[in-house]
Amino acid sequence: MSTLRRLPGIAADGRTAFVTPGEGIINRLGDAMEGATIVAAKESIDRARQLANDHAASTAELRIALRVLAAGTESVIEVATLRGERLGMDVSDDESAD
């Protein structure tokens, strides 16, 4: 019996979406969403580095950049978690690892 794949994000009704693993269009869409998340995070890193090197950057600009980086980090962690689930890894939150 195959384990269901959890898709990134949430469904329109607020629930987590699952799909049977395979090569279907929904799986490819999930792969594309994961890839786009990683690309967006890389772009946020580049923008934040540029801003950090701009001595004229305001505190407000730096705070916004930090918020964007935090959101991107959370999204990339979700992608890593989803991929770990597909590899059969234990991806439960373990606060004791801190």
Side-chain angles (χ1 to χ4, degrees), residues 4-79:
L4 293 177
R5 173 186 179 178
R6 185 167 60 96
L7 295 173
I10 56 172
D13 62 2
R15 295 186 298 168
T16 302
F18 293 90
V19 65
T20 303
E23 297 299 319
I25 191 166
I26 302 299
N27 280 290
R28 289 193 305 269
L29 179 61
D31 293 341
M33 290 170 64
E34 289 177 0
T37 297
I38 292 168
V39 168
K42 287 179 179 180
E43 290 171 353
S44 294
I45 290 167
D46 291 341
R47 285 192 302 270
R49 281 190 177 133
Q50 291 171 0
L51 191 57
N53 290 326
D54 180 358
H55 298 289
S58 70
T59 302
E61 290 172 314
L62 293 170
R63 285 182 188 206
I64 291 169
L66 186 56
R67 287 185 187 112
V68 170
L69 285 173
T73 300
E74 287 176 337
S75 296
V76 170
I77 289 170
E78 179 186 19
V79 169

